[in-house]
Amino acid sequence: MEDFAKPANLGKFQDPLLTAKGEARASVALTRPETLWFNTGTLCNITCANCYIESSPTNDALVYLTRAEMEPYLDEIATLGWPIREIAFTGGEPFMNPEMTGMMEAALEAGFEVLVLTNAMRPLMRKPVQAGLLKLAARFANKITLRISVDHWSPKLHDAERGKDAFARTLEGMIWLRDHGLQMAVAGRIAFHESEAEARAGYARLYAEHNFKIDAQDTGKTVLFPEMDMSVEVPEITTDCWGILGKSPDDVMCASSRMVVKRKGAAAPAVLACTLLAYDAAFELGETLAEASRPVQLNHPHCAKFCVLGGASCSA
């Protein structure tokens, strides 16, 4: 798979320890592990215009994880004594994976909360998937959240990203989840032409129209990311930047989470520093959580654009 995530930045992001100017590059230690992500595979039922991981009906660069491959990581959490509260699943579309509800069950039975990122479209609407979700909801209703990708509160902008009639098909899935009492959240974007307040007002109108029990003002329930111009050059983050920006490395996503993936052709899963950097070998930390507990050097444009300057967090 092409390492698409290192655009030209005038010689920046080359040395893991030093910036292009020779300054000490910032790093982030795993100080508060809260979420362990599992990428269930990059296959998806749709192809979105700006998918950061390039999921599609044909991209199997990250293959389906199995429950048997996932469960040792749950055991290792206990061995390490990590205060993980949440097991989260992303893709691709997680409900394409035939073992998705089984993996959810494993995490729930181990005592974790579960978060699943989904487009709520046809993979979720298959009868076996619905049956599996209803069985889990009967046992663990308050510990399951399905975060639905609604790229914009307007059908026009959502469909521009996800394809004709995608908005209507996602609404169909959300209505099914609503009617069966499953807890929902939403992940969306703030369009270039609107403020965050305007975007949240738009989502609030959408929720009210369909009686969705989602708080548009709660940043954990309606997670909104700013639109990003990927052609814009970004600065490297130095150790001095924390003080200059008034930020702490503890606030960056890699201080609180790791992601497990299975690469096509690999003998075993691997643990990555970040959900955003699935294809960059420099951010692969090993096969175990113990190996992946070391600090992460912020040697990538996404580290600046999304996490330090953009304030992104994929967790709830």
Side-chain angles (χ1 to χ4, degrees), residues 45-48 119-122 148-151 154-155 157-174:
N45 55 302
I46 58 175
T47 302
C48 297
N119 57 38
M121 295 171 76
R122 287 172 183 167
I148 317 302
S149 297
V150 182
D151 274 318
S154 69
L157 291 185
H158 178 91
D159 286 1
E161 172 72 18
R162 293 182 174 255
K164 186 177 184 293
D165 298 328
F167 190 85
R169 294 199 299 272
T170 288
L171 274 185
E172 181 184 355
M174 293 179 73

Side-chain angles (χ1 to χ4, degrees), residues 248-271:
S248 167
D250 289 346
D251 298 331
V252 180
M253 190 162 52
C254 50
S256 62
S257 66
R258 293 289 186 264
M259 182 169 77
V260 177
V261 305
K262 178 74 176 295
R263 300 195 187 283
K264 187 175 184 178
V271 187

Side-chain angles (χ1 to χ4, degrees), residues 68-85:
E69 289 170 330
M70 171 202 167
E71 288 180 320
Y73 291 100
L74 304 181
D75 295 337
E76 193 180 5
I77 289 171
T79 299
L80 294 172
W82 281 10
I84 295 286
R85 64 173 181 82

Side-chain angles (χ1 to χ4, degrees), residues 86 115 145 147 184-187 200 214-224 313-316:
E86 175 184 67
L115 172 68
T145 299
R147 185 187 293 167
M184 289 186 288
V186 158
R200 292 193 181 279
I214 307 171
D215 188 343
Q217 304 307 318
D218 185 333
T219 58
K221 300 300 183 183
T222 301
V223 184
L224 298 184
S313 174
C314 289
S315 191

Side-chain angles (χ1 to χ4, degrees), residues 66-194:
T66 67
R67 180 171 179 167
E69 289 170 330
M70 171 202 167
E71 288 180 320
Y73 291 100
L74 304 181
D75 295 337
E76 193 180 5
I77 289 171
T79 299
L80 294 172
W82 281 10
I84 295 286
R85 64 173 181 82
E86 175 184 67
I87 300 299
F89 298 93
T90 185
E93 167 51 47
F95 290 107
M96 297 271 288
N97 187 315
E99 297 196 29
M100 185 61 239
T101 55
M103 288 189 287
M104 291 174 65
E105 181 181 56
L108 291 162
E109 288 181 343
F112 299 102
E113 297 175 27
V114 162
L115 172 68
V116 184
L117 276 55
T118 175
N119 57 38
M121 295 171 76
R122 287 172 183 167
L124 180 144
M125 296 295 283
R126 289 177 294 150
K127 295 301 182 184
V129 171
Q130 291 179 332
L133 284 174
L134 292 178
K135 286 180 181 178
L136 291 177
R139 299 170 61 198
F140 304 104
N142 64 338
K143 301 192 76 174
I144 302 169
T145 299
L146 293 107
R147 185 187 293 167
I148 317 302
S149 297
V150 182
D151 274 318
H152 198 259
W153 51 266
S154 69
K156 179 180 178 180
L157 291 185
H158 178 91
D159 286 1
E161 172 72 18
R162 293 182 174 255
K164 186 177 184 293
D165 298 328
F167 190 85
R169 294 199 299 272
T170 288
L171 274 185
E172 181 184 355
M174 293 179 73
I175 289 167
W176 183 87
L177 291 167
R178 177 202 68 191
D179 290 348
H180 290 86
L182 281 99
Q183 183 170 269
M184 289 186 288
V186 158
R189 305 189 190 203
I190 304 166
F192 283 122
H193 69 273
E194 66 185 352

